[in-house]
Amino acid sequence: MTSRTTLLLGALLLAGATLPQEAPPPAPSFADLVRDLDHKEEAVRKAAFERLRAAEEGARKLPGALEALRSAWLKKALEERSLAFRDYADARKKRTEARTVPQRQKLAAQIYETGDFKRLEAFVKKLWEDNYPDPVRAADDAAVQRAIRRVAELGGQLRAIGAPPKDAADEKLREAFRAMDEEILIGAMPPSDQEVMRENAKVRASVSAEEYRLVFITNKYRVSVGRNAFPLSVKLCTASRDHSKDMVEKNFFSHESPIPGKKTFGDRAALQGASAGGENIFAGSPEGEPCFWAWFHSKGHHANILGGGPEIGVGNHQGHWTEMFGK
């Protein structure tokens, strides 16, 4: 700046003149703020949420915008989970030679005959790790976790403005992940067992989640050691659940019921229009997997699990379990 220009500016200031000011940037539009709700930086997302919440138009349209974003991130979580699990399962599969499966099944049978169930449990879990990867490993994927966090964040924002989410995201994701994981695991089974397992999945709404889980684990074990998968019988599930309830309400724990007409498991199955050739009972857990391992370590119960019956049914009532095998 020249000295002449400096003198001129000084004169203007002394005369009360003001220098021209830049116009302030325009306020972000509703569309801009909605777009920022999905910004990669959390601070930007929070600022956009607060501005929309404070504005009349934003407060009116914010619930719909948040719900739409939440639905998109739910979908993203499922997509990322599927990719992560398939990648993990493929990596495990590459490390396991197909020709070793019959050899492992034969070895499992040999260990079973010795009655060393502790050793057999370790062997089976290793077999499962190789052939049926643990879905929990896929849940640790960074992209999956990011999507889950975004779903939770958007749900929290909806609750903050008095518009709770339309569905329970945690339960929805958990159920969707489980169904997706099971389908991938089923796909690793022989074709005839895949068909049975998919038929079982069609009636899962007729049993509780833990009852279905127990049947799934039982069949995963059977297939792992060369047995066929059991079809799931809703009738036997009803009979099993009824016996579990009777044991709780009548305070007994036995295969023989004191209730007239229900003395034997055959009697109880017949009341539901089915037949049974064996039964396992257990008490002490609301979850199905502890039942499986308790029965696994008992030769008689284990023999039922590996038996050749045509179908299976399980029933739980307040931590009491009954498992029936058709004949």
Side-chain angles (χ1 to χ4, degrees), residues 206-207 211 215 232-242 312-316 322 324:
S206 302
V207 299
E211 288 169 349
V215 173
L232 174 58
S233 166
V234 175
K235 291 179 179 179
L236 285 180
C237 285
T238 302
S240 296
R241 197 178 304 114
D242 186 57
I312 188 174
V314 301
N316 170 48
T322 302
M324 286 188 176

Side-chain angles (χ1 to χ4, degrees), residues 73-86:
W73 277 103
L74 273 169
K75 182 179 178 182
K76 179 72 171 175
L78 293 173
E79 291 171 348
E80 294 292 351
R81 183 66 153 71
S82 178
L83 288 172
F85 190 19
R86 288 184 185 279

Side-chain angles (χ1 to χ4, degrees), residues 81-311:
R81 183 66 153 71
S82 178
L83 288 172
F85 190 19
R86 288 184 185 279
D87 287 346
Y88 171 63
D90 287 346
R92 295 295 311 176
K93 189 175 181 180
K94 287 177 182 177
R95 294 199 291 270
T96 305
E97 297 181 29
R99 64 184 178 82
T100 67
V101 173
Q103 296 171 2
R104 290 185 174 193
Q105 290 175 345
K106 183 178 179 180
L107 181 55
Q110 292 172 347
I111 299 172
Y112 170 76
E113 290 301 326
T114 69
D116 188 347
F117 296 114
K118 185 175 181 179
R119 181 186 171 202
L120 183 59
E121 177 182 348
F123 183 83
V124 167
K125 286 182 175 178
K126 181 64 171 66
L127 197 64
W128 285 357
E129 184 181 350
D130 290 340
N131 295 327
Y132 304 105
D134 184 359
V136 174
R137 303 285 183 88
D140 294 334
D141 181 80
V144 175
Q145 288 300 315
R146 176 172 173 260
I148 291 173
R149 286 194 300 270
R150 290 290 288 117
V151 170
E153 179 184 320
L154 290 159
Q157 290 174 337
L158 280 164
R159 284 186 287 272
I161 60 174
K166 295 179 180 178
D167 52 49
D170 288 348
E171 182 58 33
K172 187 174 182 179
L173 279 173
R174 188 160 45 247
E175 181 61 26
F177 285 169
R178 187 177 69 175
M180 185 189 307
D181 297 341
E182 286 178 359
E183 178 55 33
I184 294 173
L185 294 176
I186 289 170
M189 295 179 178
S192 59
D193 294 310
Q194 290 183 33
E195 183 178 350
V196 171
M197 297 293 280
R198 291 192 176 108
E199 286 299 314
N200 288 351
K202 291 178 182 179
V203 297
R204 68 187 305 167
S206 302
V207 299
S208 74
E210 284 302 316
E211 288 169 349
Y212 182 80
R213 177 170 169 75
L214 176 54
V215 173
F216 191 93
I217 293 171
T218 300
N219 276 332
K220 186 168 75 166
Y221 171 57
R222 285 177 58 85
V223 173
S224 296
V225 295
R227 301 293 204 280
N228 64 290
F230 275 136
L232 174 58
S233 166
V234 175
K235 291 179 179 179
L236 285 180
C237 285
T238 302
S240 296
R241 197 178 304 114
D242 186 57
H243 185 56
S244 296
K245 185 178 179 182
D246 286 344
M247 287 193 291
V248 171
E249 295 182 348
K250 303 299 182 182
N251 194 30
F252 73 97
F253 184 74
S254 173
H255 293 290
E256 189 170 295
S257 172
I259 300 173
K262 297 182 178 181
K263 183 176 181 180
T264 68
F265 53 76
D267 294 335
R268 297 187 288 274
L271 288 174
Q272 301 301 329
S275 60
E279 179 183 77
N280 291 339
I281 57 176
F282 172 85
S285 174
E287 298 177 347
E289 187 166 358
C291 307
F292 172 80
W293 291 113
W295 292 329
F296 185 95
H297 284 268
S298 165
K299 189 147 192 171
H301 296 93
H302 202 136
N304 282 339
I305 290 171
L306 290 179
E311 56 187 2

